[in-house]
């Protein structure tokens, strides 16, 4: 049976596009069955519609509480019984009941080398701190903000004179390479979380996840 994926997004959908490209060449390990946005007019919805993928809008502005939004979001997700929920630029902090319901089936990508710089403004924070490298991390979602087990990281050197926009563009390029890889590992059974330790191919991963190398 084909593994089923739900994608959550809020914006232009560039990481979703990289996942879609991988699925079209049978490199993802499953099919994207539904794309959900919390923002009307999100570019990712247009990409999904063009590809013939079902879409749904759960507009967070229509809800007075975070719990009510998450409950309806969970209902839409459960309507397709997914094997994996992928957050691709989904700009909402999810409640603990939601995360607990889908524990082990929620992946996110964060634009920093976690545990450095959880939250927002990651690129500027790396520049302000004088770091030599920045990057991106794919991780499982837990109740701790950007604190779940890391699957894979990609490092990007910070160059002299970099602006946050220049750094963000280079990091986004590697995000598009590591996210489909992590999704494939999950859907093909190469990842396992046991007693708080994440394993890939039965080998424990370091706390920062596997370090990505080109052509890996």
């Amino acid at each position: 049976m084909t593994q089923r994926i739900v994608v959550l997004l809020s914006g232009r959908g560039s990481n979703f596009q990289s996942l879609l490209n991988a699925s079209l060449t049978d490199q993802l390990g499953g099919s994207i069955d539904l794309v959900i946005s919390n923002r009307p007019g999100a570019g990712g919805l247009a990409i999904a519609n063009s590809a013939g993928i079902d879409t749904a809008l759960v507009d967070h502005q229509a809800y007075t509480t975070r719990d009510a939004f998450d409950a309806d979001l969970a209902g839409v997700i459960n309507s397709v019984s997914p094997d994996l929920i992928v957050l691709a630029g989904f700009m909402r902090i999810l409640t603990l009941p939601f995360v607990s319901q889908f524990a082990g089936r929620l992946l996110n990508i964060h634009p920093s080398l976690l545990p450095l710089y959880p939250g927002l403004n990651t690129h500027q924070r790396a520049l302000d701190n004088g770091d030599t490298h920045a990057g991106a991390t794919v991780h499982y979602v837990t109740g701790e903000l950007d604190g779940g087990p890391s699957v894979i990281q990609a490092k990007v050197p910070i160059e002299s004179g970099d602006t946050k926009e220049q750094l963000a563009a280079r990091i986004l390029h590697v995000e598009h390479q590591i996210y489909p890889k992590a999704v494939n590992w999950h859907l093909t059974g190469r990842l396992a979380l046991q007693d708080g330790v994440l394993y890939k191919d039965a080998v424990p991963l370091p706390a920062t996840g596997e370090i990505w190398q080109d052509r890996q």
Side-chain angles (χ1 to χ4, degrees):
M1 179 183 293
T2 302
Q3 302 267 40
R4 309 185 76 180
I5 305 163
V6 169
V7 174
L8 308 184
L9 53 79
S10 299
R12 58 187 174 179
S14 69
N15 266 308
F16 162 53
Q17 181 71 69
S18 73
L19 297 169
L20 177 59
N21 292 344
S23 73
L24 294 174
T25 55
D26 295 324
Q27 298 180 62
L28 201 57
S31 67
I32 301 171
D33 284 43
L34 179 64
V35 174
I36 306 172
S37 178
N38 65 307
R39 291 179 178 171
L45 293 176
I47 294 172
N49 287 327
S50 295
I53 298 171
D54 288 342
T55 62
L57 173 66
V58 186
D59 188 347
H60 68 276
Q61 297 184 80
Y63 296 84
T64 57
T65 68
R66 193 177 296 274
D67 286 338
F69 168 79
D70 279 7
D72 277 4
L73 177 63
V76 177
I77 292 171
N78 281 324
S79 70
V80 298
S81 301
D83 299 285
L84 182 65
I85 301 102
V86 179
L87 280 61
F90 188 64
M91 303 304 291
R92 296 287 296 174
I93 296 176
L94 298 166
T95 60
L96 184 57
F98 180 95
V99 172
S100 297
Q101 181 178 169
F102 300 109
R105 288 189 288 154
L106 282 166
L107 275 182
N108 183 47
I109 190 162
H110 183 74
S112 80
L113 297 173
L114 293 173
L116 293 175
Y117 315 126
L120 301 175
N121 303 316
T122 58
H123 309 307
Q124 189 62 56
R125 290 156 73 187
L127 292 172
D128 291 345
N129 201 44
D131 294 352
T132 59
H133 287 79
T137 307
V138 180
H139 66 96
Y140 284 98
V141 178
T142 64
E144 179 184 358
L145 178 64
D146 298 324
S150 294
V151 177
I152 185 171
Q153 287 191 337
K155 289 186 176 182
V156 171
I158 295 178
E159 300 175 0
S160 176
D162 259 346
T163 65
K164 64 179 181 180
E165 292 81 11
Q166 291 169 327
L167 182 57
R170 293 205 308 280
I171 291 174
L172 189 62
H173 177 71
V174 297
E175 287 182 32
H176 294 166
Q177 297 176 70
I178 65 173
Y179 214 0
K181 188 178 293 293
V183 169
N184 176 276
W185 290 349
H186 177 97
L187 293 177
T188 57
R190 298 181 65 186
L191 297 175
L193 185 61
Q194 299 175 2
D195 299 324
V197 177
L198 185 61
Y199 294 79
K200 179 194 168 199
D201 300 329
V203 177
L205 286 172
T208 52
E210 183 164 304
I211 302 301
W212 175 82
Q213 301 290 337
D214 199 8
R215 295 182 298 279
Q216 180 172 300

